[in-house]
Amino acid sequence: MLEDLLEGAGRSIVFGGIGIGLMAVGFVLIDVLTPGKLRDLIWVERNPNAALLLAANQLGIAAIVFTSIFTTYESFGQGLASTALFGIIGIGIMGLAFLVLDWLTPGKLGEVICTQDRHPGALVSAASHFGAALIVCACIS
């Protein structure tokens, strides 16, 4: 029993590290897609649009990691590979969703996200990010 408990704890640490790493990559993605420094936009300027988009991104990545772990292969190594692969795919699809939405809407979406006043485009962009993540979740088997 103690051996199973320790094995589960070790797996939690490893999967947690992968999840946090993927969330860091998601942060970098949002930082690249929006003008300015994301950390300044959110923590210094308290920009609600940037915070909403990043929150949707982070929750989407967490949902992908959760789904991948929940449906993981019996092999620990295959489960880790699946989590990392689907996480990277999800981040790429979320980035693509941002670019498609930017193409479909007037102006530059990154600039809309950086405006200080709440903007409905930020909510649509956040929903697009989270929706893209849910699509990836549905593909994990």
Side-chain angles (χ1 to χ4, degrees):
M1 180 170 121
L2 181 59
E3 184 178 318
D4 290 339
L5 184 63
L6 292 174
E7 181 181 341
R11 288 181 181 213
S12 295
I13 291 167
V14 173
F15 277 115
I18 289 174
I20 290 169
L22 289 168
M23 291 170 76
V25 172
F27 182 97
V28 171
L29 172 73
I30 300 301
D31 196 23
V32 167
L33 292 173
T34 56
K37 291 193 180 277
L38 186 59
R39 50 187 307 186
D40 290 342
L41 282 170
I42 295 173
W43 282 275
V44 175
E45 298 174 28
R46 299 175 183 263
N47 183 299
N49 300 316
L52 178 63
L53 180 58
L54 180 61
N57 177 273
Q58 298 292 280
L59 287 171
I61 293 168
I64 292 168
V65 171
F66 169 84
T67 304
S68 186
I69 293 169
F70 191 73
T71 61
T72 195
Y73 299 94
E74 289 192 24
S75 163
F76 181 57
Q78 286 179 318
L80 288 176
S82 169
T83 301
L85 177 64
F86 281 109
I88 294 298
I89 289 170
I91 291 167
I93 290 174
M94 284 187 271
L96 180 61
F98 184 94
L99 295 174
V100 168
L101 187 61
D102 184 36
W103 177 69
L104 290 172
T105 56
K108 296 301 291 170
L109 188 54
E111 292 173 8
V112 166
I113 298 300
C114 293
T115 60
Q116 192 59 33
D117 297 328
R118 288 195 182 273
H119 194 287
L123 182 59
V124 172
S125 184
S128 177
H129 264 260
F130 194 71
L134 291 180
I135 291 167
V136 174
C137 289
C139 294
I140 299 172
S141 59

